[in-house]
Amino acid sequence: MPTAHVMASAMGGIRTAGDLVAWMQMTRKMKIDEAKTYVADKLGVELIALTDEEIMRQVREDLDIGIITSVSGSAKGIAAKWKIAELLDIDINSVNHFRAKVGI
Amino acid sequence: MPNKIMCRMGDGERVWLPAEQIKEDILRGTRDAAERAKIPELTEEECERLFDIMADPSKVVSVSPGEEVIVTDDAVSMLFYADQENSGQGIPMSRTQSLLAYERACAADTISMGHTDYSFKQVKPIINYETQEYYNASQMTTAPFFYGSQPNMGLYFQPDGPYPNPAELLPQGKISEALEAQEIAMEHLSADLIYIGKEMNGVGCEGINFDTAASAGDADFKATLQAVEKLKALAPGMSIIVGMSSEFVMGMHGDITYKGKRLAGIYPHEQVKVVEEAGADIFGPAINVNTSESIPWNLARAVTFVKETVAVAGIPVHPNVGMGVCGVPMFEVPPVDAVTRASKSLVQIGKADGL
């Protein structure tokens, strides 16, 4: 059932820009249209591109913010979230915790 | 079945209904919601749009490109390894493996984990285990990562908890004792929610989901609101979702208020305002499903409630779309045709910000 919702209505997570738009709802309480516009502006892409795998795959690889397929040496997990926080100009709790632990 | 449209009942049973009956069910459904909550009915155009979604001959339907929304969940990754009671598949995977599979194989927008029992009271004695599991996983996950559980104030009453059970006291006419038991349990629950939230924030928790709030009524809801308010002051970097348990708050106490607003009997468009005032970031309304009515009737009700809730909300609204709420059949394995019709209708007509 969750997969049916994901396929019918979701943005696609780290396959596209779903995680980025979700961060804006979580950290700035943005409604969906505002969150999408904010992310599209930060990425420099059109709104419709946010859920287009053909575009977002390359955008994510270029920015090194985590991609759906596993590439050795590419950013994922906390490293990707660190870069996402900087890209979107937001505070991510886990990233702040990590930064505090490493003294940055 | 010539001249009839394949449809579902609220319990998931497949039925073939004439177009006229589906249209009539949609009208009855939206009127029922409007009358109960004193909110506007769906417009004629919206009813027609809902009919078109119901009558689509495709098995699976979806929103159009560009209309997609964010999907949050209630520890869905648990389904990989949990048992039948949690609708799980029993695959021998760890919690972290399940989270990564949901993030990377299912491409979910957000992910979440929770204790198998999925109630905060059960989490408290094992909080160190939960924080460790969350912390380890959070170093590997990229998508926004929630910790979820239910306030579930019912567990604070005898025989499961320390306080006299209002459900036993009320039939005995012990009204004041029943009210007092709820007031004490409310403060206990609130303190536990704050404690767990603080501990989770201590390991960098990205978001916490107070799921199925108000399941024990208005005192349960207030305990959650108090915890949200306190945690937002103590841990402003931790996002908070409040998801509801039903379409109106049961007045098990009756006189509980939050910032002057009586909580008993309030509907989603009123619930979202108190949740917003408490400081939560995302609200999840839950609209009941009547198993004896058709999905068009149930979905028309759900969309009517959600549309008004989104219209008045200042925060994102993610309707709960699990089994038995918001037009999804009350069945352990909800048929995919009905699930995707609920999904599409809530986004396209209800204007939900997520699910």
Side-chain angles (χ1 to χ4, degrees), chain A residues 1-2 5-6 8-13 18 22-23 25-26 29-32 36 48 51 68 77-78 81 93-94 97-98, chain B residues 62-63 66 68-70 104 107-109 138-142 144 201-202 204-206 279-281 310 316 318 321 343 353:
Chain A
M1 180 191 64
H5 285 303
V6 166
S9 300
M11 291 196 67
W23 284 121
Q25 291 200 336
M26 291 169 63
K29 304 178 195 274
M30 287 182 179
K31 308 274 273 184
I32 187 69
K36 284 181 177 178
I48 194 76
T51 50
I68 192 77
I78 199 73
K81 286 187 281 196
N93 227 19
S94 60
H97 183 268
F98 185 82
Chain B
S62 75
V63 301
E68 300 94 336
V69 297
I70 297 304
R104 298 174 192 181
D109 295 317
S138 74
Q139 303 304 294
M140 287 180 271
T141 56
T142 303
N201 182 62
C205 182
E206 294 161 6
D281 301 284
V310 173
H318 292 196
V321 282
S343 213
D353 299 287

Side-chain angles (χ1 to χ4, degrees), chain B residues 294-309:
Chain B
S294 70
I295 286 300
W297 183 88
N298 279 292
L299 207 39
R301 286 181 87 252
V303 171
T304 304
F305 280 121
V306 168
K307 182 190 159 198
E308 181 64 11
T309 305

Side-chain angles (χ1 to χ4, degrees), chain B residues 75-288:
Chain B
V76 157
S77 63
M78 188 192 298
L79 302 186
F80 286 112
Y81 63 82
D83 68 343
Q84 182 267 341
E85 288 182 6
N86 286 308
S87 300
Q89 287 88 47
I91 303 169
M93 294 170 72
S94 72
R95 284 206 281 183
T96 299
Q97 289 169 330
S98 301
L99 285 161
L100 294 172
Y102 189 50
E103 174 187 270
R104 298 174 192 181
C106 301
D109 295 317
T110 66
I111 56 175
S112 73
M113 64 171 273
H115 177 243
T116 302
D117 190 271
Y118 214 60
S119 291
F120 278 104
K121 181 166 176 275
Q122 319 297 50
V123 172
K124 193 177 178 187
I126 57 162
I127 185 64
N128 291 343
Y129 179 81
E130 294 301 276
T131 51
Q132 180 166 262
E133 188 91 17
Y134 181 95
Y135 177 71
N136 287 341
S138 74
Q139 303 304 294
M140 287 180 271
T141 56
T142 303
F145 180 20
F146 285 90
Y147 185 84
S149 210
Q150 298 180 3
N152 199 356
M153 198 176 80
L155 288 180
Y156 289 76
F157 300 122
Q158 296 165 3
D160 300 307
Y163 305 115
N165 197 323
E168 292 175 351
L169 294 170
L170 286 169
Q172 295 169 27
K174 296 179 178 177
I175 308 299
S176 59
E177 291 90 338
L179 299 183
E180 187 183 3
Q182 292 180 71
E183 289 159 12
I184 297 170
M186 177 178 80
E187 296 305 330
H188 192 158
L189 169 60
S190 194
D192 285 353
L193 299 179
I194 293 164
Y195 171 77
I196 292 163
K198 281 170 63 180
E199 292 295 311
M200 293 306 300
N201 182 62
V203 296
C205 182
E206 294 161 6
I208 196 159
N209 184 358
F210 291 120
D211 183 24
T212 322
S215 62
D218 45 355
D220 182 314
F221 193 29
K222 183 170 181 180
T224 304
L225 295 169
Q226 289 181 159
V228 170
E229 188 177 342
K230 187 76 173 175
L231 284 171
K232 270 296 165 187
L234 294 169
M238 185 170 65
S239 179
I240 299 179
I241 299 178
V242 174
M244 300 301 291
S245 52
S246 68
E247 67 193 33
F248 72 95
V249 177
M250 292 186 296
M252 294 299 290
H253 184 289
D255 288 330
I256 298 288
T257 60
Y258 179 74
K259 295 188 186 295
K261 174 75 174 175
R262 188 166 176 258
L263 298 179
I266 62 173
Y267 280 91
H269 66 292
E270 301 162 300
Q271 294 161 14
V272 71
K273 299 313 290 183
V274 289
V275 165
E276 197 177 314
E277 197 169 355
D281 301 284
I282 297 171
F283 174 66
I287 312 305
N288 307 353

Side-chain angles (χ1 to χ4, degrees), chain A residues 14-86:
Chain A
I14 62 171
R15 187 178 169 88
T16 55
D19 59 325
L20 309 181
V21 174
W23 284 121
M24 301 320 300
Q25 291 200 336
M26 291 169 63
T27 61
R28 303 266 180 94
K29 304 178 195 274
M30 287 182 179
K31 308 274 273 184
I32 187 69
D33 291 343
E34 184 186 7
K36 284 181 177 178
T37 301
Y38 183 93
V39 172
D41 287 348
K42 288 288 185 185
L43 295 176
V45 300
E46 293 181 28
L47 274 174
I48 194 76
L50 293 177
T51 50
D52 186 339
E53 291 89 340
E54 194 273 330
I55 294 172
M56 283 307 303
R57 173 63 175 75
Q58 193 62 49
V59 169
R60 294 192 75 108
E61 185 167 355
D62 291 347
L63 293 168
D64 200 17
I65 55 172
I67 50 179
I68 192 77
T69 48
S70 183
V71 175
S72 299
S74 66
K76 56 182 75 170
I78 199 73
K81 286 187 281 196
W82 184 313
K83 296 171 77 103
I84 288 168
E86 290 180 343

